[in-house]
Amino acid sequence: MKNNIPPVYYGDYLQLDKILGAQQLQSQKYATAAHDETLFIIVHQVYELWFKQILHELNSIISVFSHERVDDRDLTTVVHRLRRITQIQQIMNDQISVMETMTPQEFLAFRDYLVPASGFQSIQFKQLEISLGLKREYRIDFDQESFYTRLTAADRQYLTDLESKASLFELVDKWLARMPLLEIDGFSFWSLYKQVTDDYLADDEKTIAENSTLTAEQRKKELEALRQTQEKFDALLNTDKYQSLLDQGQFRLSQKAMLSALFIKQYSQEPIFNLPFQLITLLTEVDEKMTIWRHRHAMMVHRMLGGKIGTGGSAGHQYLHRTTQANRVFVDFFDMATFLLPKHLLPKLPDNVTRYLEFHLYQAAKQPV
Ligand code: HEM
């Protein structure tokens, strides 16, 4: 440690004069200070700081996936940082209950002074959504419009530019699609998989047909649901059918990426898939925690505003509840459970394939840093 460095003072290092001097009550400008406005401001500021930290991690992850080849060592860092993001998200979700200690009437004491400011204008939140993969075409109508009409020209331009860059979703899709997992050394996993799933679904059909506790109507419904599952299974291995379901919005991952992810999930116990499996699991968790945040926030808004509209002009909680369903990014990683087989039914990987996977692991460990 160098000893000619001037001593650091806690408050200066953290620039606390700026942070602690940044709670200016709107209510105080026009009437008496509303006690709860301090809480309202601080909770929002804490969120914005957490958004900043998440974006810091996310941008570094995006930069790793922007390379044509992703090294296993970088993947370790990615997994580590994604785990940090999910821990922060957990705090963000729990933090809603602090805001909820404010009653609707306490909120009304200063709410009208905030119009037309709104969470819609949280540029960092929009940045987070876009960088993860929630681009304009995937948003619900009102949300698309809110982008243009409620922001300054500079913020609008900034987010529009960001939309033209590759999101984490797009980069992970490409990375998965590049994996050579579909045909290894003459072993076609997918034809075996198709055979096993056909048998599996035929068993299910027999079980439904022979179930004497079902009425004719119930049996018809269950068989129809099974037929739809069968159709999705078929689409997995049929490029045209898959494309048609992708166009209808039933899949978002490309077919190759979907098959790679499925293979990784099916054989997650293979050492070489450990990091990719953790990555998929963590991206699933990021999406889930984001959706929980949307839901918790919408519930809080319902409790705080009832049927009133938001300061940003939306239908309030009704609009926010719709975003919990629609504004998802990694939803394929959830839906994929449809296609998973129990481990005991999985086609056993032949020795040469297992050796191939081990070989890659061994090679990766031996590569120079
Ligand atoms: C009393 C507490 C709160 C109320 C009543 C409230 C209300 C609302 C409403 C009604 C909207 C929809 C847009 C509009 O019409 O204004 C909204 C959006 C939003 N709020 Fe809040 N909010 C509260 C607290 C928070 C907190 C603590 C955060 C943390 C940053 C937050 C972040 C957001 C974000 C990011 C959006 C945009 C969501 C999206 O576009 O999907 N809000 N809020």
Side-chain angles (χ1 to χ4, degrees):
M1 173 85 87
K2 289 183 187 162
N3 55 9
N4 60 348
I5 297 176
V8 177
Y9 194 65
Y10 179 85
D12 294 341
Y13 175 63
L14 298 174
Q15 302 199 35
L16 292 183
D17 52 341
K18 285 190 194 152
I19 294 182
L20 301 180
Q23 292 74 37
Q24 309 290 332
L25 308 192
Q26 273 290 105
S27 55
Q28 204 164 16
K29 286 190 196 160
Y30 305 104
T32 22
H35 178 86
D36 283 48
E37 195 180 345
T38 305
L39 176 80
F40 187 82
I41 293 175
I42 288 180
V43 170
H44 278 82
Q45 287 174 336
V46 171
Y47 269 108
E48 289 294 336
L49 284 175
W50 281 133
F51 292 157
K52 184 170 184 178
Q53 184 63 39
I54 290 182
L55 287 168
H56 181 58
E57 307 298 347
L58 189 58
N59 288 337
S60 74
I61 293 168
I62 285 178
S63 144
V64 167
F65 280 103
S66 302
H67 295 115
E68 203 47 43
R69 185 178 177 283
V70 181
D71 193 274
D72 273 5
R73 275 172 291 272
D74 290 337
L75 215 50
T76 310
T77 309
V78 163
V79 163
H80 173 65
R81 291 186 183 163
L82 272 176
R83 189 159 291 123
R84 179 178 292 158
I85 290 178
T86 61
Q87 291 298 329
I88 296 173
Q89 285 184 291
Q90 186 60 46
I91 291 181
M92 293 196 333
N93 291 351
D94 293 343
Q95 209 168 277
I96 296 266
S97 53
V98 179
M99 189 86 270
E100 283 176 336
T101 60
M102 177 174 77
T103 67
Q105 274 157 321
E106 284 162 343
F107 182 43
L108 283 179
F110 63 91
R111 172 185 183 251
D112 288 351
Y113 300 124
L114 308 180
V115 179
S118 148
F120 273 151
Q121 296 161 338
S122 168
I123 302 308
Q124 291 201 105
F125 185 78
K126 294 290 155 200
Q127 198 179 336
L128 175 58
E129 291 183 328
I130 294 169
S131 299
L132 283 173
L134 187 67
K135 297 204 171 172
R136 209 165 305 183
E137 70 252 44
Y138 298 109
R139 293 180 183 277
I140 53 179
D141 292 350
F142 185 84
D143 207 10
Q144 290 182 358
E145 184 207 327
S146 69
F147 242 104
Y148 288 105
T149 51
R150 286 158 178 82
L151 306 180
T152 62
D155 283 346
R156 207 158 42 229
Q157 191 57 51
Y158 175 71
L159 293 179
T160 305
D161 290 348
L162 191 64
E163 295 225 21
S164 64
K165 297 188 178 140
S167 69
L168 183 61
F169 175 87
E170 290 161 299
L171 293 169
V172 167
D173 184 288
K174 280 196 184 129
W175 172 73
L176 284 168
R178 283 198 301 269
M179 286 190 178
L181 300 175
L182 312 183
E183 298 277 339
I184 303 171
D185 290 353
F187 166 70
S188 174
F189 166 75
W190 296 107
S191 53
L192 280 174
Y193 179 79
K194 169 104 182 71
Q195 202 180 315
V196 176
T197 51
D198 284 349
D199 293 350
Y200 189 55
L201 293 171
D203 271 0
D204 278 2
E205 191 174 346
K206 196 161 164 262
T207 310
I208 296 170
E210 289 172 1
N211 186 345
S212 56
T213 63
L214 294 176
T215 62
E217 187 61 22
Q218 286 167 334
R219 181 169 297 115
K220 199 171 143 206
K221 271 194 188 150
E222 289 208 11
L223 286 172
E224 174 54 22
L226 189 70
R227 194 195 56 76
Q228 284 175 14
T229 308
Q230 175 76 62
E231 208 176 300
K232 275 196 131 184
F233 261 113
D234 289 346
L236 275 183
L237 302 177
N238 179 317
T239 306
D240 292 339
K241 274 191 193 165
Y242 191 95
Q243 188 58 43
S244 147
L245 292 183
L246 194 97
D247 295 341
Q248 292 167 36
Q250 294 203 39
F251 292 120
R252 208 177 139 186
L253 279 175
S254 66
Q255 186 191 17
K256 280 187 174 169
M258 174 65 100
L259 292 178
S260 291
L262 192 54
F263 194 90
I264 291 165
K265 283 189 88 147
Q266 292 280 17
Y267 291 97
S268 57
Q269 78 280 9
E270 295 297 331
I272 199 170
F273 295 145
N274 185 278
L275 283 172
F277 177 67
Q278 286 192 57
L279 177 91
I280 291 173
T281 307
L282 283 164
L283 290 175
T284 313
E285 207 167 318
V286 167
D287 194 296
E288 182 169 332
K289 287 198 151 67
M290 188 89 173
T291 307
I292 291 173
W293 184 83
R294 288 185 198 279
H295 185 70
R296 290 280 279 121
H297 173 259
M299 292 297 287
M300 174 186 65
V301 170
H302 192 184
R303 178 172 164 165
M304 220 53 91
L305 296 180
K308 294 188 185 95
I309 60 164
T311 47
S314 78
H317 78 91
Q318 282 165 359
Y319 154 72
L320 293 165
H321 269 122
R322 282 206 293 137
T323 67
T324 63
Q325 288 296 315
N327 291 357
R328 304 279 300 276
V329 176
F330 294 102
V331 76
D332 288 307
F333 290 150
F334 293 73
D335 287 340
M336 200 172 275
T338 315
F339 311 121
L340 292 178
L341 295 174
K343 294 263 186 214
H344 71 273
L345 287 185
L346 283 180
K348 187 174 164 352
L349 296 178
D351 288 347
N352 64 330
V353 174
T354 317
R355 265 202 307 279
Y356 175 87
L357 296 177
E358 281 169 3
F359 172 73
H360 270 266
L361 185 72
Y362 179 66
Q363 281 296 89
K366 284 189 71 175
Q367 265 170 21
V369 183

Short mmCIF file of all heavy atoms in Angstrom, two decimals, residues 198-243:
data_model
loop_
_atom_site.label_atom_id
_atom_site.label_comp_id
_atom_site.label_asym_id
_atom_site.label_seq_id
_atom_site.Cartn_x
_atom_site.Cartn_y
_atom_site.Cartn_z
N ASP A 198 -42.75 -40.06 -28.29
CA ASP A 198 -43.96 -40.63 -28.91
C ASP A 198 -44.53 -41.73 -28.02
O ASP A 198 -45.73 -41.79 -27.76
CB ASP A 198 -43.63 -41.20 -30.30
CG ASP A 198 -43.47 -40.08 -31.33
OD1 ASP A 198 -43.81 -38.93 -30.99
OD2 ASP A 198 -42.98 -40.35 -32.44
N ASP A 199 -43.64 -42.60 -27.50
CA ASP A 199 -44.10 -43.69 -26.61
C ASP A 199 -44.70 -43.11 -25.33
O ASP A 199 -45.72 -43.57 -24.82
CB ASP A 199 -42.92 -44.60 -26.22
CG ASP A 199 -42.40 -45.36 -27.43
OD1 ASP A 199 -43.07 -45.32 -28.48
OD2 ASP A 199 -41.30 -45.97 -27.32
N TYR A 200 -44.03 -42.08 -24.80
CA TYR A 200 -44.44 -41.46 -23.53
C TYR A 200 -45.85 -40.87 -23.68
O TYR A 200 -46.73 -41.09 -22.85
CB TYR A 200 -43.42 -40.36 -23.23
CG TYR A 200 -43.52 -39.72 -21.87
CD1 TYR A 200 -43.49 -40.46 -20.70
CD2 TYR A 200 -43.62 -38.32 -21.76
CE1 TYR A 200 -43.56 -39.85 -19.46
CE2 TYR A 200 -43.68 -37.71 -20.52
CZ TYR A 200 -43.65 -38.47 -19.38
OH TYR A 200 -43.71 -37.87 -18.14
N LEU A 201 -46.06 -40.14 -24.80
CA LEU A 201 -47.36 -39.50 -25.02
C LEU A 201 -48.44 -40.55 -25.33
O LEU A 201 -49.60 -40.40 -24.94
CB LEU A 201 -47.27 -38.44 -26.12
CG LEU A 201 -46.41 -37.23 -25.75
CD1 LEU A 201 -46.17 -36.32 -26.94
CD2 LEU A 201 -47.05 -36.42 -24.62
N ALA A 202 -48.04 -41.63 -26.03
CA ALA A 202 -49.00 -42.70 -26.32
C ALA A 202 -49.47 -43.34 -25.00
O ALA A 202 -50.66 -43.66 -24.83
CB ALA A 202 -48.36 -43.75 -27.22
N ASP A 203 -48.55 -43.49 -24.04
CA ASP A 203 -48.91 -44.02 -22.71
C ASP A 203 -49.92 -43.10 -22.03
O ASP A 203 -50.89 -43.55 -21.41
CB ASP A 203 -47.65 -44.09 -21.83
CG ASP A 203 -46.94 -45.41 -21.99
OD1 ASP A 203 -47.43 -46.25 -22.78
OD2 ASP A 203 -45.87 -45.60 -21.35
N ASP A 204 -49.65 -41.78 -22.12
CA ASP A 204 -50.55 -40.79 -21.50
C ASP A 204 -51.95 -40.90 -22.11
O ASP A 204 -52.96 -40.85 -21.41
CB ASP A 204 -50.03 -39.36 -21.72
CG ASP A 204 -48.96 -38.99 -20.71
OD1 ASP A 204 -48.61 -39.84 -19.87
OD2 ASP A 204 -48.47 -37.84 -20.77
N GLU A 205 -51.98 -41.07 -23.44
CA GLU A 205 -53.26 -41.15 -24.14
C GLU A 205 -54.05 -42.37 -23.66
O GLU A 205 -55.25 -42.30 -23.40
CB GLU A 205 -53.01 -41.23 -25.65
CG GLU A 205 -54.28 -41.06 -26.44
CD GLU A 205 -54.01 -40.99 -27.94
OE1 GLU A 205 -52.84 -40.81 -28.34
OE2 GLU A 205 -54.98 -41.15 -28.70
N LYS A 206 -53.32 -43.48 -23.50
CA LYS A 206 -53.95 -44.73 -23.03
C LYS A 206 -54.52 -44.51 -21.62
O LYS A 206 -55.64 -44.92 -21.32
CB LYS A 206 -52.88 -45.83 -23.02
CG LYS A 206 -53.41 -47.22 -22.95
CD LYS A 206 -52.33 -48.21 -23.42
CE LYS A 206 -52.69 -49.61 -23.01
NZ LYS A 206 -52.05 -50.07 -21.80
N THR A 207 -53.72 -43.83 -20.76
CA THR A 207 -54.16 -43.60 -19.37
C THR A 207 -55.45 -42.79 -19.36
O THR A 207 -56.40 -43.11 -18.61
CB THR A 207 -53.06 -42.84 -18.57
OG1 THR A 207 -51.84 -43.52 -18.78
CG2 THR A 207 -53.37 -42.73 -17.10
N ILE A 208 -55.51 -41.76 -20.20
CA ILE A 208 -56.73 -40.92 -20.24
C ILE A 208 -57.90 -41.75 -20.77
O ILE A 208 -59.00 -41.75 -20.19
CB ILE A 208 -56.51 -39.68 -21.15
CG1 ILE A 208 -55.42 -38.77 -20.57
CG2 ILE A 208 -57.81 -38.88 -21.30
CD1 ILE A 208 -54.96 -37.66 -21.50
N ALA A 209 -57.66 -42.50 -21.86
CA ALA A 209 -58.73 -43.29 -22.47
C ALA A 209 -59.31 -44.32 -21.50
O ALA A 209 -60.50 -44.59 -21.48
CB ALA A 209 -58.21 -43.96 -23.73
N GLU A 210 -58.44 -44.88 -20.64
CA GLU A 210 -58.89 -45.95 -19.74
C GLU A 210 -59.36 -45.45 -18.37
O GLU A 210 -59.76 -46.23 -17.52
CB GLU A 210 -57.74 -46.96 -19.54
CG GLU A 210 -57.48 -47.78 -20.79
CD GLU A 210 -56.23 -48.63 -20.67
OE1 GLU A 210 -55.57 -48.58 -19.60
OE2 GLU A 210 -55.89 -49.34 -21.64
N ASN A 211 -59.26 -44.13 -18.15
CA ASN A 211 -59.63 -43.58 -16.84
C ASN A 211 -61.16 -43.52 -16.70
O ASN A 211 -61.82 -42.65 -17.26
CB ASN A 211 -59.01 -42.18 -16.69
CG ASN A 211 -59.23 -41.61 -15.31
OD1 ASN A 211 -60.06 -42.11 -14.55
ND2 ASN A 211 -58.49 -40.57 -14.98
N SER A 212 -61.70 -44.46 -15.93
CA SER A 212 -63.17 -44.57 -15.84
C SER A 212 -63.77 -43.46 -14.98
O SER A 212 -64.99 -43.29 -14.94
CB SER A 212 -63.53 -45.94 -15.26
OG SER A 212 -62.89 -46.10 -14.02
N THR A 213 -62.94 -42.68 -14.24
CA THR A 213 -63.50 -41.62 -13.40
C THR A 213 -63.81 -40.35 -14.22
O THR A 213 -64.44 -39.43 -13.73
CB THR A 213 -62.52 -41.22 -12.26
OG1 THR A 213 -61.33 -40.69 -12.87
CG2 THR A 213 -62.18 -42.38 -11.36
N LEU A 214 -63.36 -40.32 -15.49
CA LEU A 214 -63.59 -39.11 -16.30
C LEU A 214 -64.94 -39.21 -17.02
O LEU A 214 -65.32 -40.29 -17.49
CB LEU A 214 -62.49 -38.97 -17.36
CG LEU A 214 -61.06 -38.70 -16.90
CD1 LEU A 214 -60.12 -38.70 -18.09
CD2 LEU A 214 -60.98 -37.37 -16.15
N THR A 215 -65.63 -38.06 -17.12
CA THR A 215 -66.84 -38.04 -17.95
C THR A 215 -66.37 -37.94 -19.41
O THR A 215 -65.19 -37.61 -19.66
CB THR A 215 -67.70 -36.80 -17.64
OG1 THR A 215 -66.93 -35.64 -17.95
CG2 THR A 215 -68.11 -36.76 -16.17
N ALA A 216 -67.30 -38.17 -20.35
CA ALA A 216 -66.93 -38.09 -21.77
C ALA A 216 -66.39 -36.71 -22.11
O ALA A 216 -65.41 -36.55 -22.85
CB ALA A 216 -68.16 -38.42 -22.62
N GLU A 217 -67.02 -35.69 -21.51
CA GLU A 217 -66.60 -34.29 -21.77
C GLU A 217 -65.18 -34.04 -21.26
O GLU A 217 -64.34 -33.47 -21.96
CB GLU A 217 -67.61 -33.37 -21.05
CG GLU A 217 -67.45 -31.88 -21.33
CD GLU A 217 -67.62 -31.52 -22.81
OE1 GLU A 217 -68.27 -32.29 -23.57
OE2 GLU A 217 -67.07 -30.50 -23.20
N GLN A 218 -64.90 -34.50 -20.00
CA GLN A 218 -63.56 -34.31 -19.41
C GLN A 218 -62.50 -35.03 -20.25
O GLN A 218 -61.41 -34.52 -20.50
CB GLN A 218 -63.52 -34.85 -17.98
CG GLN A 218 -64.24 -33.96 -16.97
CD GLN A 218 -64.46 -34.67 -15.64
OE1 GLN A 218 -64.53 -35.91 -15.58
NE2 GLN A 218 -64.59 -33.90 -14.58
N ARG A 219 -62.88 -36.27 -20.69
CA ARG A 219 -61.93 -37.07 -21.48
C ARG A 219 -61.58 -36.34 -22.77
O ARG A 219 -60.42 -36.24 -23.17
CB ARG A 219 -62.53 -38.45 -21.78
CG ARG A 219 -61.58 -39.34 -22.56
CD ARG A 219 -62.04 -40.79 -22.63
NE ARG A 219 -62.10 -41.41 -21.31
CZ ARG A 219 -63.20 -41.85 -20.71
NH1 ARG A 219 -64.37 -41.75 -21.33
NH2 ARG A 219 -63.17 -42.38 -19.52
N LYS A 220 -62.60 -35.75 -23.39
CA LYS A 220 -62.39 -35.03 -24.66
C LYS A 220 -61.41 -33.87 -24.43
O LYS A 220 -60.48 -33.65 -25.21
CB LYS A 220 -63.75 -34.50 -25.14
CG LYS A 220 -63.77 -34.17 -26.61
CD LYS A 220 -65.19 -33.87 -27.07
CE LYS A 220 -65.11 -32.75 -28.09
NZ LYS A 220 -66.28 -31.95 -28.21
N LYS A 221 -61.64 -33.14 -23.34
CA LYS A 221 -60.78 -31.97 -23.04
C LYS A 221 -59.34 -32.40 -22.80
O LYS A 221 -58.40 -31.78 -23.28
CB LYS A 221 -61.30 -31.25 -21.78
CG LYS A 221 -62.31 -30.19 -22.07
CD LYS A 221 -62.52 -29.31 -20.86
CE LYS A 221 -63.70 -28.38 -21.10
NZ LYS A 221 -64.39 -28.02 -19.88
N GLU A 222 -59.17 -33.46 -22.02
CA GLU A 222 -57.81 -33.92 -21.70
C GLU A 222 -57.08 -34.41 -22.94
O GLU A 222 -55.89 -34.18 -23.12
CB GLU A 222 -57.85 -35.00 -20.62
CG GLU A 222 -58.25 -34.42 -19.28
CD GLU A 222 -57.69 -35.20 -18.09
OE1 GLU A 222 -56.82 -36.06 -18.30
OE2 GLU A 222 -58.12 -34.93 -16.97
N LEU A 223 -57.85 -35.11 -23.82
CA LEU A 223 -57.22 -35.60 -25.05
C LEU A 223 -56.83 -34.44 -25.97
O LEU A 223 -55.79 -34.47 -26.62
CB LEU A 223 -58.16 -36.57 -25.78
CG LEU A 223 -58.29 -37.94 -25.12
CD1 LEU A 223 -59.38 -38.79 -25.79
CD2 LEU A 223 -56.96 -38.71 -25.15
N GLU A 224 -57.65 -33.39 -25.96
CA GLU A 224 -57.35 -32.22 -26.78
C GLU A 224 -56.07 -31.54 -26.26
O GLU A 224 -55.19 -31.15 -27.03
CB GLU A 224 -58.55 -31.25 -26.77
CG GLU A 224 -58.34 -29.92 -27.47
CD GLU A 224 -57.86 -30.04 -28.92
OE1 GLU A 224 -58.07 -31.10 -29.54
OE2 GLU A 224 -57.23 -29.08 -29.41
N ALA A 225 -55.96 -31.43 -24.92
CA ALA A 225 -54.76 -30.81 -24.33
C ALA A 225 -53.52 -31.64 -24.69
O ALA A 225 -52.46 -31.10 -25.02
CB ALA A 225 -54.91 -30.72 -22.81
N LEU A 226 -53.69 -32.96 -24.67
CA LEU A 226 -52.57 -33.85 -25.00
C LEU A 226 -52.17 -33.69 -26.49
O LEU A 226 -50.99 -33.67 -26.83
CB LEU A 226 -52.95 -35.31 -24.72
CG LEU A 226 -51.81 -36.31 -24.83
CD1 LEU A 226 -50.82 -36.12 -23.68
CD2 LEU A 226 -52.34 -37.74 -24.79
N ARG A 227 -53.21 -33.52 -27.33
CA ARG A 227 -52.93 -33.34 -28.76
C ARG A 227 -52.10 -32.07 -28.98
O ARG A 227 -51.16 -32.03 -29.77
CB ARG A 227 -54.25 -33.27 -29.54
CG ARG A 227 -54.11 -33.42 -31.05
CD ARG A 227 -55.35 -32.98 -31.80
NE ARG A 227 -55.75 -31.62 -31.50
CZ ARG A 227 -55.16 -30.53 -31.98
NH1 ARG A 227 -54.12 -30.65 -32.77
NH2 ARG A 227 -55.58 -29.32 -31.65
N GLN A 228 -52.44 -31.01 -28.24
CA GLN A 228 -51.69 -29.75 -28.39
C GLN A 228 -50.23 -29.91 -27.94
O GLN A 228 -49.32 -29.37 -28.55
CB GLN A 228 -52.36 -28.64 -27.59
CG GLN A 228 -53.61 -28.13 -28.28
CD GLN A 228 -54.37 -27.10 -27.45
OE1 GLN A 228 -53.85 -26.57 -26.48
NE2 GLN A 228 -55.61 -26.85 -27.83
N THR A 229 -50.05 -30.68 -26.85
CA THR A 229 -48.68 -30.93 -26.38
C THR A 229 -47.91 -31.69 -27.45
O THR A 229 -46.77 -31.37 -27.77
CB THR A 229 -48.70 -31.75 -25.08
OG1 THR A 229 -49.56 -31.11 -24.16
CG2 THR A 229 -47.32 -31.88 -24.46
N GLN A 230 -48.59 -32.71 -28.03
CA GLN A 230 -47.97 -33.51 -29.08
C GLN A 230 -47.53 -32.63 -30.26
O GLN A 230 -46.44 -32.77 -30.80
CB GLN A 230 -48.98 -34.57 -29.56
CG GLN A 230 -48.52 -35.40 -30.74
CD GLN A 230 -47.51 -36.47 -30.32
OE1 GLN A 230 -47.85 -37.34 -29.54
NE2 GLN A 230 -46.30 -36.39 -30.83
N GLU A 231 -48.40 -31.65 -30.58
CA GLU A 231 -48.11 -30.76 -31.71
C GLU A 231 -46.85 -29.94 -31.42
O GLU A 231 -46.01 -29.74 -32.31
CB GLU A 231 -49.31 -29.83 -31.90
CG GLU A 231 -49.48 -29.36 -33.33
CD GLU A 231 -50.75 -28.53 -33.46
OE1 GLU A 231 -51.85 -29.07 -33.16
OE2 GLU A 231 -50.63 -27.35 -33.81
N LYS A 232 -46.72 -29.47 -30.17
CA LYS A 232 -45.53 -28.69 -29.82
C LYS A 232 -44.28 -29.56 -29.85
O LYS A 232 -43.22 -29.14 -30.30
CB LYS A 232 -45.70 -28.05 -28.44
CG LYS A 232 -46.45 -26.73 -28.48
CD LYS A 232 -46.28 -25.94 -27.21
CE LYS A 232 -45.89 -24.50 -27.48
NZ LYS A 232 -45.63 -23.72 -26.29
N PHE A 233 -44.40 -30.79 -29.36
CA PHE A 233 -43.27 -31.73 -29.41
C PHE A 233 -42.83 -31.93 -30.86
O PHE A 233 -41.66 -31.87 -31.19
CB PHE A 233 -43.67 -33.09 -28.82
CG PHE A 233 -43.25 -33.29 -27.40
CD1 PHE A 233 -44.19 -33.37 -26.38
CD2 PHE A 233 -41.91 -33.40 -27.07
CE1 PHE A 233 -43.80 -33.56 -25.06
CE2 PHE A 233 -41.51 -33.60 -25.75
CZ PHE A 233 -42.46 -33.67 -24.75
N ASP A 234 -43.83 -32.14 -31.76
CA ASP A 234 -43.52 -32.36 -33.17
C ASP A 234 -42.80 -31.16 -33.76
O ASP A 234 -41.87 -31.30 -34.56
CB ASP A 234 -44.80 -32.63 -33.98
CG ASP A 234 -45.38 -34.01 -33.65
OD1 ASP A 234 -44.65 -34.81 -33.02
OD2 ASP A 234 -46.54 -34.26 -34.00
N ALA A 235 -43.27 -29.96 -33.35
CA ALA A 235 -42.69 -28.73 -33.92
C ALA A 235 -41.21 -28.59 -33.56
O ALA A 235 -40.43 -28.02 -34.31
CB ALA A 235 -43.46 -27.53 -33.41
N LEU A 236 -40.82 -29.15 -32.42
CA LEU A 236 -39.43 -29.03 -31.98
C LEU A 236 -38.46 -29.53 -33.04
O LEU A 236 -37.39 -28.97 -33.25
CB LEU A 236 -39.20 -29.88 -30.73
CG LEU A 236 -39.53 -29.28 -29.38
CD1 LEU A 236 -39.15 -30.27 -28.30
CD2 LEU A 236 -38.80 -27.97 -29.17
N LEU A 237 -38.87 -30.59 -33.73
CA LEU A 237 -37.96 -31.21 -34.69
C LEU A 237 -38.37 -30.95 -36.14
O LEU A 237 -37.84 -31.57 -37.06
CB LEU A 237 -37.90 -32.73 -34.43
CG LEU A 237 -37.45 -33.10 -33.01
CD1 LEU A 237 -37.48 -34.60 -32.81
CD2 LEU A 237 -36.06 -32.55 -32.72
N ASN A 238 -39.31 -30.04 -36.30
CA ASN A 238 -39.77 -29.73 -37.67
C ASN A 238 -39.62 -28.22 -37.89
O ASN A 238 -40.37 -27.42 -37.31
CB ASN A 238 -41.23 -30.18 -37.79
CG ASN A 238 -41.80 -29.90 -39.16
OD1 ASN A 238 -41.58 -28.85 -39.74
ND2 ASN A 238 -42.55 -30.87 -39.66
N THR A 239 -38.66 -27.87 -38.74
CA THR A 239 -38.31 -26.45 -38.90
C THR A 239 -39.50 -25.59 -39.33
O THR A 239 -39.70 -24.50 -38.79
CB THR A 239 -37.16 -26.32 -39.92
OG1 THR A 239 -36.10 -27.17 -39.46
CG2 THR A 239 -36.62 -24.91 -40.00
N ASP A 240 -40.31 -26.09 -40.27
CA ASP A 240 -41.44 -25.27 -40.74
C ASP A 240 -42.49 -25.07 -39.64
O ASP A 240 -42.98 -23.98 -39.42
CB ASP A 240 -42.11 -25.91 -41.97
CG ASP A 240 -41.17 -25.88 -43.16
OD1 ASP A 240 -40.24 -25.04 -43.14
OD2 ASP A 240 -41.35 -26.71 -44.08
N LYS A 241 -42.80 -26.18 -38.96
CA LYS A 241 -43.81 -26.08 -37.89
C LYS A 241 -43.31 -25.16 -36.77
O LYS A 241 -44.05 -24.35 -36.23
CB LYS A 241 -44.08 -27.46 -37.27
CG LYS A 241 -45.12 -28.26 -38.02
CD LYS A 241 -45.52 -29.48 -37.20
CE LYS A 241 -46.31 -30.46 -38.04
NZ LYS A 241 -46.40 -31.77 -37.44
N TYR A 242 -42.01 -25.30 -36.45
CA TYR A 242 -41.44 -24.48 -35.38
C TYR A 242 -41.54 -23.00 -35.77
O TYR A 242 -41.97 -22.17 -34.97
CB TYR A 242 -39.97 -24.86 -35.12
CG TYR A 242 -39.43 -24.25 -33.85
CD1 TYR A 242 -39.44 -24.96 -32.65
CD2 TYR A 242 -38.93 -22.94 -33.84
CE1 TYR A 242 -38.97 -24.39 -31.47
CE2 TYR A 242 -38.46 -22.37 -32.66
CZ TYR A 242 -38.47 -23.10 -31.49
OH TYR A 242 -38.01 -22.53 -30.33
N GLN A 243 -41.17 -22.71 -37.03
CA GLN A 243 -41.20 -21.32 -37.50
C GLN A 243 -42.62 -20.76 -37.41
O GLN A 243 -42.82 -19.61 -36.99
CB GLN A 243 -40.68 -21.26 -38.94
CG GLN A 243 -40.47 -19.84 -39.47
CD GLN A 243 -39.50 -19.03 -38.62
OE1 GLN A 243 -38.47 -19.53 -38.19
NE2 GLN A 243 -39.85 -17.77 -38.33
#
